[in-house]
Amino acid sequence: MESCNGELIFDHVGHFGKFQIILYMICAYQNISCGMHYMASVFMSSIPEHACRPPGKIRRALFHNLSASSLEDVLALRSPDQKDHITVELQDGQIWELTRCSRTWRENKSHLNHESSGYGLNNPCSDGYVYDQSKWRNSVVENLNLVCERKWYAYMIQPLFIFGMLLGSIIFGYLSDRFGRQPVLWCTSITVFFFGIASIFILDYFSFMAVRFLLTVAASGYFGVAFVYVMEFIGKKSRTWASMHLNTFFAIGVMLVALVSSLVNAWWLYQIILCTVTAPFILCCWMLPETPLWLISEGRYKEAQGVINAMAVWNESRPCDLAELLSLDMSSSCDESCRGFRKLSIADLFHDWDVAKRTLVVWLVWFTANFGYYIFFMEAIWKKEDEHLYLFLVGALEIPVYFFICISLDRVGRRYTMASCLLLASFISVANMATPPSHKTLKTVAVLAVKTATGSALAFLFMYTAELYPTIIRCLAVGSSSMVSRMASFIIPFTNQVWIVLPQVLFGILAILSGLLSLKLPETLNKPLASTWEKTEEKAPENKDGSGEALPTAEKVVSVEAPPTAEKGGSGEALPTAENIEMENTEVINLGDSDGDQ
């Protein structure tokens, strides 16, 4: 039987022509918005310096040897580690000692820079709080007073954000495999835009959290599906570079967050800028067609032919007849009972031992990469004097690294590049723990290096995972892997409570383990994307095919359903018609071979 290879389509209409470039730029542009919304939570949940508001107008504020006419000026100079009180003199002569969450009236009005031995009753902050507005003005924490006894509300913003990313990955991954890539891209982008605008006008905490949660679910869903969508439209000759540089646009979004947040300190204006970035994509996303590979896997051959014809026209290439190229019966249709078109679930990622091993290793690698990325990303920007500058550098550093990763992926392959990134990150992590705290520059370089290595691994894990699984379950495989990786973000805060360096120790161990296990995964370099799969019921006699060459063991059959036409076989006897037997064009993939030979 003739082997069905989806790459034949791109050989005819072009691997990365004008049609694919336009679709690619539309999807890549929206990745900028995803990067901005992802990183917005870094500043959204940060608690600014604050103090209890005194019951009157301030004449003078004193903190150590610093004196100012306004409390805000003093707060801008106080660091989060300093817990001393601020002494203020009001217009009516009263003296108050202010802490972050209480205020005390002083009877003794002399020696303002010393603590009073008079009245020491702590009064609640019934008049509210005063915030340092040097970084943000009218921020979420300030507007909702998420400090002191309400500060745990602010701490819930980031975990809920991560939980939304977790749910969005798996939910929209499943929906994309079930109903198609295009409707998911359209729905998620519309949701990101409107909920982003809605979050500006929300005045209470729970409504704000609900809106941000739904926005995060949609943004996470878009990001994973966009990778698969782009990969299914681009031929293998350009797939590596195109897929990897979707992350470049995400990094640009990270840089824009840092740039905008340093220039605009009004939270509502910052949110409007984030949302307007999505607006151009909303105007174009309705034009995105469904991927031909997904349409073929669903038996919708006529729609797939229409998309391919459009690709041929835009790319000025030869027309491609699917019926002739893939031996498809364009007049046939297939219902849900067809075996090849059965709707798959997450359980199908474990439907036999070979596939289960692959899935578990992929999940472990995802978990490890995100575990390290989260640890060292927060370490790179946390409690830095200029968080905006460090965040900008973190985003800018990733872009040139992606070029070197692409070269490695094309020269060395997926498996060895993955193992190298994880093992290198593990080694640098150990070196960082062994470096004395006094060597701040060296530790900063080590943190950025580990963050870059793990970030690079995450960047091409989207592509590698999509290549490891067939079209009918590709988005679900990527989504479930992303979901597992987000669990690392929940675990890290608990490990910090046990031992401050425990997260780095765990990452070092996991990085070595997952790096070595990733070498057991199949190599997908220059391999075509598979469409569907089913386990072979029986091995061929002596593992030989008709040519006498040995077939791979532990094989899976990746197929595109195609009802045959009645024609003569090699022996001169008529082949059975479509009413009697289904004939499948198959492509053999060895799921268990560690060398990835297929």
Side-chain angles (χ1 to χ4, degrees):
M1 288 182 292
E2 184 183 3
S3 175
C4 176
N5 184 350
E7 297 297 332
L8 295 175
I9 297 173
F10 302 113
D11 290 338
H12 281 73
V13 301
H15 287 253
F16 197 47
K18 286 189 294 185
F19 187 87
Q20 290 106 316
I21 290 174
I22 293 174
L23 296 183
Y24 179 81
M25 294 306 300
I26 292 174
C27 294
Y29 176 83
Q30 181 67 351
N31 266 22
I32 298 177
S33 177
C34 288
M36 297 181 73
H37 282 293
Y38 271 39
M39 293 299 111
S41 65
V42 173
F43 301 112
M44 187 185 305
S45 57
S46 62
I47 299 177
E49 269 301 303
H50 59 281
C52 204
R53 184 182 296 276
K57 293 184 178 181
I58 296 175
R59 175 184 297 170
R60 182 171 54 142
L62 185 67
F63 180 67
H64 293 300
N65 295 325
L66 302 174
S67 179
S69 59
S70 69
L71 187 55
E72 288 86 350
D73 293 337
V74 175
L75 291 174
L77 300 174
R78 185 172 71 172
S79 67
D81 297 329
Q82 293 176 313
K83 299 182 179 180
D84 298 330
H85 68 273
I86 299 174
T87 304
V88 297
E89 179 183 4
L90 304 185
Q91 296 287 355
D92 58 5
Q94 292 187 48
I95 305 298
W96 288 82
E97 294 176 356
L98 308 178
T99 64
R100 290 183 175 86
C101 300
S102 65
R103 60 187 184 182
T104 304
W105 175 63
R106 283 179 51 170
E107 181 183 29
N108 184 3
K109 299 182 181 180
S110 62
H111 305 291
L112 297 184
N113 58 343
H114 293 84
E115 292 190 18
S116 171
S117 58
Y119 289 103
L121 296 177
N122 287 336
N123 298 307
C125 300
S126 55
D127 293 306
Y129 304 88
V130 178
Y131 295 90
D132 170 25
Q133 297 188 349
S134 60
K135 291 184 178 180
W136 288 111
R137 184 175 296 130
N138 298 323
S139 66
V140 175
V141 173
E142 179 182 349
N143 289 339
L144 302 177
N145 283 326
L146 305 181
V147 294
C148 297
E149 70 275 4
R150 287 171 56 87
K151 67 181 179 180
W152 71 273
Y153 286 111
Y155 293 152
M156 287 298 297
I157 293 177
Q158 184 71 5
L160 190 68
F161 180 87
I162 295 171
F163 185 62
M165 295 171 66
L166 184 152
L167 286 183
S169 300
I170 189 67
I171 291 173
F172 286 106
Y174 171 78
L175 293 177
S176 179
D177 284 334
R178 184 74 188 239
F179 301 107
R181 290 42 167 143
Q182 190 270 349
V184 169
L185 294 179
W186 188 84
C187 292
T188 52
S189 300
I190 294 291
T191 303
V192 167
F193 178 75
F194 283 106
F195 279 121
I197 295 293
S199 65
I200 302 172
F201 304 101
I202 297 298
L203 300 179
D204 67 286
Y205 173 79
F206 293 102
S207 298
F208 173 81
M209 292 291 280
V211 168
R212 289 298 306 182
F213 174 77
L214 294 173
L215 185 152
T216 305
V217 170
S220 177
Y222 172 88
F223 192 67
V225 175
F227 270 89
V228 175
Y229 181 84
V230 166
M231 289 182 63
E232 292 181 352
F233 259 114
I234 298 175
K236 63 183 179 183
K237 293 180 180 179
S238 305
R239 188 174 293 136
T240 298
W241 285 79
S243 299
M244 274 298 298
H245 285 294
L246 282 177
N247 296 281
T248 297
F249 290 87
F250 184 90
I252 293 173
V254 174
M255 295 165 62
L256 286 177
V257 166
L259 182 62
V260 173
S261 59
S262 64
L263 298 176
V264 179
N265 63 356
W267 177 254
W268 63 271
L269 182 57
Y270 173 76
Q271 280 294 107
I272 288 178
I273 293 174
L274 258 64
C275 295
T276 52
V277 174
T278 308
F281 181 82
I282 300 299
L283 300 176
C284 300
C285 65
W286 62 272
M287 297 186 298
L288 296 177
E290 187 55 77
T291 68
L293 295 185
W294 184 84
L295 291 171
I296 292 173
S297 72
E298 292 291 302
R300 295 159 61 175
Y301 305 132
K302 291 183 179 180
E303 295 176 58
Q305 183 67 67
V307 174
I308 292 170
N309 290 342
M311 292 174 63
V313 172
W314 278 80
N315 295 344
E316 299 178 357
S317 58
R318 294 177 298 166
C320 173
D321 186 358
L322 283 180
E324 179 181 349
L325 185 67
L326 304 180
S327 301
L328 301 177
D329 184 358
M330 305 296 286
S331 63
S332 67
S333 62
C334 186
D335 57 24
E336 294 289 334
S337 63
C338 289
R339 181 178 52 187
F341 301 99
R342 180 174 64 88
K343 299 302 180 182
L344 304 183
S345 66
I346 197 169
D348 289 278
L349 296 175
F350 300 89
H351 77 270
D352 67 31
W353 177 236
D354 288 330
V355 177
K357 285 192 298 183
R358 171 184 295 195
T359 300
L360 291 175
V361 172
V362 168
W363 282 5
L364 176 63
V365 173
W366 273 84
F367 180 89
T368 302
N370 194 64
F371 193 85
Y373 183 86
Y374 187 86
I375 292 171
F376 291 96
F377 175 83
M378 297 307 297
E379 182 73 18
I381 67 171
W382 191 248
K383 293 185 179 180
K384 295 294 189 298
E385 293 182 0
D386 195 341
E387 293 178 343
H388 306 103
L389 176 60
Y390 275 90
L391 183 61
F392 185 89
L393 292 176
V394 164
L397 187 61
E398 291 185 357
I399 297 176
V401 172
Y402 291 151
F403 283 91
F404 292 103
I405 292 295
C406 286
I407 296 173
S408 177
L409 290 171
D410 279 342
R411 299 284 182 86
V412 180
R414 278 60 162 147
R415 294 182 304 164
Y416 292 113
T417 301
M418 175 65 68
S420 299
C421 286
L422 293 175
L423 294 176
L424 177 64
S426 176
F427 173 78
I428 300 176
S429 177
V430 173
N432 178 60
M433 289 186 288
T435 303
S438 57
H439 296 73
K440 293 184 178 180
T441 302
L442 191 59
K443 290 183 74 68
T444 299
V445 171
V447 166
L448 289 174
V450 178
K451 182 265 163 195
T452 303
T454 54
S456 300
L458 274 177
F460 69 80
L461 264 174
F462 282 93
M463 176 186 66
Y464 189 28
T465 305
E467 291 176 339
L468 286 172
Y469 293 89
T471 303
I472 57 174
I473 202 170
R474 182 170 294 129
C475 276
L476 185 57
V478 173
S480 63
S481 301
S482 180
M483 177 192 71
V484 170
S485 74
R486 304 301 176 190
M487 295 179 183
S489 305
F490 288 108
I491 296 175
I492 293 171
F494 296 102
T495 57
N496 268 327
Q497 300 298 322
V498 178
W499 185 25
I500 191 64
V501 296
L502 182 58
Q504 295 190 35
V505 173
L506 289 177
F507 169 72
I509 297 172
L510 288 173
I512 295 175
L513 178 62
S514 57
L516 295 176
L517 287 176
S518 65
L519 296 174
K520 297 293 184 181
L521 293 172
E523 180 56 67
T524 60
L525 178 61
N526 293 326
K527 298 294 193 300
L529 292 178
S531 294
T532 61
W533 66 14
E534 66 174 1
K535 183 174 175 58
T536 51
E537 298 294 337
E538 298 178 357
K539 294 182 179 180
E542 300 182 0
N543 290 332
K544 301 282 185 177
D545 64 2
S547 63
E549 298 179 356
L551 291 173
T553 59
E555 66 207 39
K556 298 289 174 288
V557 175
V558 178
S559 63
V560 173
E561 295 277 348
T565 57
E567 58 183 13
K568 296 287 184 179
S571 62
E573 296 179 1
L575 292 174
T577 61
E579 290 77 8
N580 298 324
I581 189 170
E582 255 187 313
M583 176 175 160
E584 298 175 348
N585 290 311
T586 61
E587 175 188 357
V588 177
I589 291 184
N590 185 350
L591 296 182
D593 188 1
S594 62
D595 295 329
D597 295 333
Q598 299 180 12

